[in-house]
Amino acid sequence: ALVLCDIDYFKRVNDHFGHQAGDEYLKTLAHTLNQVFKRETDIAARYGGEEFVVLISNARQGAALTLARQFKREIEATRLFFEARTIQATVSIGVSELMPARELGKDTLVSRADAMLYEAKNRGRNRIEVFAA
């Protein structure tokens, strides 16, 4: 499974609080990501800008969605205090689960998660969309 998340309206965080505050928020989000997706086989990484990705291997059906929901709740509850100001943000998340098969291209998991991320954004943000095969 692959979980792809994007901080909603992150440009506003940078514009309103400054890039140093934005960088601190990115670090806070990364820490939270590693607290939720903590199996030794889970691989979390910054995917670019304000996007993060988690590769979850050998997990039962629905495990990625369960963890994505937990992560979303944790982020909603997170408050970063930076230079006497409070920063709070939400995330949009795309989840793709599939069983490996030869007929599927190597990019299928990523492209499906990416499509679900954009679906979450188009449906109002601060939500999770799932592609399950």
Side-chain angles (χ1 to χ4, degrees), residues 1-128:
L2 192 82
V3 175
L4 187 58
C5 72
D6 183 80
I7 302 170
D8 296 327
Y9 305 110
F10 188 67
K11 183 178 181 330
R12 291 182 188 171
V13 172
N14 278 336
D15 290 349
H16 187 72
F17 297 101
H19 289 276
Q20 287 181 323
D23 288 348
E24 288 303 313
Y25 193 84
L26 289 171
K27 290 175 190 175
T28 299
L29 185 135
H31 175 76
T32 304
L33 196 68
N34 285 315
Q35 293 299 309
V36 173
F37 297 92
K38 57 188 171 191
R39 293 183 323 151
E40 193 171 297
T41 55
D42 296 341
I43 301 171
R46 189 169 174 190
Y47 194 59
E50 65 273 7
E51 290 186 4
F52 289 80
V53 63
V54 183
L55 178 63
I56 304 167
S57 61
N58 299 320
R60 71 189 190 308
Q61 183 79 21
L65 177 58
T66 298
L67 291 168
R69 284 178 177 152
Q70 180 184 347
F71 175 68
K72 182 178 167 293
R73 283 191 305 268
E74 292 285 334
I75 292 302
E76 288 171 337
T78 297
R79 308 288 186 279
L80 174 65
F81 300 101
F82 185 83
E83 295 181 357
R85 296 165 86 185
T86 304
I87 302 170
Q88 180 183 12
T90 59
V91 290
S92 295
I93 300 174
V95 177
S96 176
E97 294 184 328
L98 60 82
M99 295 299 295
R102 288 186 177 184
E103 64 272 8
L104 296 174
K106 64 181 180 176
D107 297 325
T108 302
L109 193 61
V110 175
S111 64
R112 289 178 178 175
D114 192 52
M116 292 299 94
L117 171 62
Y118 282 94
E119 186 68 22
K121 290 174 158 231
N122 289 333
R123 290 187 173 191
R125 301 178 191 253
N126 191 27
R127 57 184 293 126
I128 301 168

